Every structure is written in C-alpha cells, then in structure tokens.
C-alpha cells in the first residue's frame, strides 16, 4: 500500500517551454501533497505544500508563478514548470501524506536544454 | 539555519556489522522523526519512524533511538547488508505543521561485502 507515482520519470525540454509533472497517490487519498527538488549531492528541498481544493503554500524563495501547482483531486497533484530555463534542470520529487508518514514518488528528472 | 543535521556525509561498514547513522536537530517543536532510504534517481523510501514520546522503535534489522534531551536520534542497522547501501535521510516534523517534513542532508552508507 501507500504507492505514489510520478509521470513522466524523465523529460527533456527546450528553454522557454513549459513542462507538467503529475503526482498520483494510487491506493490512498492524500489531502496534502508536497513537491521537492533535489540538486546533486544535496538534500531534498521542499518547494511547496499542496492541499486539495486550495492554493499551494510555497516555501520562501520559490517562485509561485514559475512553479504552478494544482491539486485538483485527492489523488492527483501537478507541478508545471513554466518558461523553463537550464537552471531549472533538477530532480523533482513529490510526496503524499498518509497519517504521520509521507510516501514519495519515484521522482522526475527534468533537463532543460 | 539547518534544523536537522546529519554531520556525516558518508559511512562505510563491513557486511554483517552494525551501521549507526546519526542525526541532530535544533527545533524543540519537532515531535515526530522519520528515516528514509534513497537510491540515486529514485524517490525516498520510508524506513522507520519514532514519536517524541518514545525513545526506541524497532522494526526487523532497523532500530531508531531518540534522545530528546540531547536532540539526537540514530538509526541502527544490524546486521548490515550490501543491499543497504544507499543515502539515508533523517526527517523531522513539528506538530500541527500539516505534515511538513524537514530533512537532513543525508548520509551515504556503503556496506562492503
């Protein structure tokens, strides 16, 4: 149980385009989902907290107009990287909370050329 | 200000021996602690957790110890196996924080055959 999926697992896009990443909780309902970013050899950096049916809460320093988050249902949250630039290249990971634990998706490797 | 610290970036142990991974925290509001295991290019996998009302939690080969007065927790893996080689993240949550986790930077564990 407690499986979280992400799609796509990797994506390459051109600078200036937008990319959407989906995060789904497959066997449980998650009122709260989280989006993280991980740089090489670094910790997981929380970008935003996504609550179903309401606006996401962004961490300090994260541009909400650049990283659009939508949590339309109890099993789906999406992260859209708008007008992507090479510095947005990173590993993006989502998680969904169930009781006290967070369960993580497998991550999405974004490369912006 | 790093609220969760894993001061050892790496640890190497022999197969069959004990692995001890350490984590320190500064925020006294943290009331729940978790350990995650992560392989490269994958999302973290939940391992074991402990509430602040306990000082020990055991699950198979994994035991987590919590010393609240020292604001210190540790993960013991006995016996260590080569398949345990991964990055281990310590995470902490404060009550009422909507399950938001604060992560340490991780410790790379290498178990040598």
């Amino acid at each position: 149980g407690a499986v979280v999926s992400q799609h796509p697992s990797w994506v390459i896009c051109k600078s200036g385009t937008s990319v959407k990443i989906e995060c789904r909780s497959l066997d449980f309902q998650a009122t709260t989902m989280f989006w993280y970013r991980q740089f090489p050899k670094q910790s997981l950096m929380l970008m935003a907290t996504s609550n179903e049916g309401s606006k996401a809460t962004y961490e300090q320093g994260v541009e909400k107009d650049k990283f659009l988050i939508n949590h339309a249902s109890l099993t789906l949250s999406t992260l859209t990287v708008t007008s992507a630039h090479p510095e947005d290249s990173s590993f993006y990971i989502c998680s969904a909370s169930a009781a006290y634990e967070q369960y993580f998706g497998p991550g999405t490797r974004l490369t912006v050329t | 200000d790093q609220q969760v610290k894993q001061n050892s970036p790496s640890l190497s142990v022999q197969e069959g021996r004990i692995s001890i991974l350490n984590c320190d925290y500064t925020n006294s509001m943290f009331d729940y602690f978790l350990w995650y295991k992560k392989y490269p290019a994958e999302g973290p996998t939940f391992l074991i957790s402990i509430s602040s009302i306990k000082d020990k939690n055991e699950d198979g080969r994994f035991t987590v110890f919590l010393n609240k007065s020292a604001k210190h927790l540790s993960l013991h893996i006995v016996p260590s196996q080569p398949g345990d080689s991964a990055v281990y993240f310590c995470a902490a949550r404060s009550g009422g924080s909507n399950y938001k986790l604060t992560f340490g930077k991780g410790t790379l564990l290498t178990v040598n055959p």
Side-chain angles (χ1 to χ4, degrees):
Chain A
V3 178
V4 177
S5 71
Q6 273 184 251
H7 177 80
S9 55
W10 60 271
V11 58
I12 301 173
C13 71
K14 291 189 175 181
S15 189
T17 62
S18 295
V19 174
K20 180 186 282 189
I21 303 170
E22 291 186 349
C23 177
R24 293 181 185 271
S25 56
L26 297 185
D27 50 2
F28 66 101
Q29 293 184 330
T31 54
T32 304
M33 289 185 172
F34 302 87
W35 287 95
Y36 295 83
R37 182 173 179 177
Q38 187 183 26
F39 295 98
K41 297 185 180 180
Q42 295 290 319
S43 182
L44 297 164
M45 184 193 82
L46 178 65
M47 299 174 66
T49 302
S50 167
N51 292 296
E52 187 264 340
S54 64
K55 290 184 179 181
T57 303
Y58 290 82
E59 295 299 301
Q60 192 173 12
V62 178
E63 299 175 61
K64 61 181 180 181
D65 294 331
K66 180 168 187 59
F67 298 100
L68 301 179
I69 291 172
N70 182 272
H71 194 157
S73 76
L74 288 172
T75 59
L76 173 64
S77 176
T78 61
L79 167 68
T80 302
V81 183
T82 63
S83 187
H85 289 101
E87 57 265 30
D88 298 325
S89 298
S90 191
F91 192 58
Y92 293 88
I93 308 173
C94 74
S95 71
S97 66
Y100 284 94
E101 280 83 38
Q102 281 188 30
Y103 296 92
F104 286 81
T108 297
R109 169 69 61 191
L110 170 63
T111 301
V112 184
T113 60
Chain B
D1 177 35
Q2 208 177 340
Q3 297 186 63
V4 178
K5 300 177 184 179
Q6 292 177 258
N7 291 319
S8 298
S10 64
L11 174 68
S12 182
V13 300
Q14 209 62 30
E15 181 178 6
R17 306 294 287 268
I18 184 171
S19 296
I20 300 176
L21 298 119
N22 294 303
C23 178
D24 297 292
Y25 62 96
T26 57
N27 188 341
S28 57
M29 298 302 292
F30 288 144
D31 64 354
Y32 199 74
F33 304 88
L34 307 91
W35 283 94
Y36 287 87
K37 175 180 178 181
K38 185 181 182 300
Y39 294 112
E42 292 185 11
T45 302
F46 170 74
L47 269 178
I48 193 169
S49 61
I50 188 167
S51 165
S52 60
I53 62 174
K54 293 186 175 181
D55 55 17
K56 177 183 176 181
N57 188 26
E58 192 172 352
D59 183 3
R61 295 186 299 114
F62 302 92
T63 303
V64 56
F65 295 92
L66 175 63
N67 183 333
K68 279 187 65 178
S69 61
K71 293 190 176 66
H72 176 84
L73 63 155
S74 60
L75 174 68
H76 292 210
I77 306 174
V78 181
S80 301
Q81 300 172 354
D84 296 329
S85 298
V87 176
Y88 288 78
F89 287 99
C90 169
R93 192 204 77 162
S94 58
S97 66
N98 199 20
Y99 304 118
K100 187 168 82 171
L101 296 177
T102 302
F103 282 85
K105 288 192 173 182
T107 297
L108 173 62
L109 172 65
T110 302
V111 180
N112 301 302

